[in-house]
Amino acid sequence: LERCDDNNDCVSGRCYLQTFSEDAQTVCCPDSYISISSTVIPWSNTGKTFCRYQQADGLSCASNALCASGVCVDGKCASGKIENLERCDDNNDCVSGRCYLQTFSEDAQTVCCPDSYIS
C-alpha cells in the first residue's frame, strides 16, 4: 500500500487511514477494500475513514467489521468467536450467540452465555 496525502494521490481515489489507530498513516486503498467510517472513536481521527484489510488479532478496532476474525471485544480484535462466560460486546461475538449481563448488578459486565441460561 502506497502512502498518500489525499484521494487525488491514489488511482483508486481512496486515501484512507491504514489501520484503526491513533498514529495510523494514510495509504491508497485498493478498490477491493471496504472503507469504514467511524464517528465513535476515542481520539482525534473522529470521522475519518479506514481501509478494512482484515486486522489481525490484538489490533485496535471499533467494530467487528474491522477484524479478520469478525470479532472486536473491548476495542481489540479477538482470534474468533468467544466461548461461554468470556467477556463480549454483542451477540455476534459469542459462539452461543448470547451476550448478556453476567449478574444482576449495576456494574456487571457482559459475557457469552450458554444456551441453557435464561434471559
Side-chain angles (χ1 to χ4, degrees):
L1 301 178
E2 293 181 34
R3 173 92 173 80
C4 59
D5 292 317
D6 62 47
N7 291 339
N8 294 325
D9 295 339
C10 306
V11 172
S12 68
R14 296 176 179 170
C15 180
Y16 301 148
L17 294 171
Q18 184 174 15
T19 59
F20 186 79
S21 66
E22 189 168 4
D23 57 352
Q25 67 177 358
T26 51
V27 295
C28 293
C29 298
D31 290 332
S32 61
Y33 280 28
I34 298 167
S35 63
I36 297 174
S37 293
S38 178
T39 56
V40 185
I41 55 178
W43 31 269
S44 61
N45 284 327
T46 300
K48 298 284 186 172
T49 303
F50 305 88
C51 289
R52 178 179 179 224
Y53 72 100
Q54 303 297 316
Q55 298 206 102
D57 302 351
L59 292 180
S60 296
C61 56
S63 72
N64 292 340
L66 286 171
C67 302
S69 66
V71 179
C72 175
V73 177
D74 285 335
K76 298 285 183 192
C77 291
S79 60
K81 296 273 185 178
I82 308 299
E83 295 296 327
N84 291 333
L85 304 179
E86 295 293 322
R87 171 81 179 91
C88 58
D89 289 331
D90 62 56
N91 292 338
N92 294 322
D93 296 342
C94 304
V95 171
S96 68
R98 292 179 166 94
C99 181
Y100 301 144
L101 291 172
Q102 186 174 23
T103 60
F104 188 72
S105 68
E106 191 174 311
D107 60 347
Q109 68 175 355
T110 51
V111 297
C112 294
C113 293
D115 293 339
S116 61
Y117 277 33
I118 298 171
S119 59

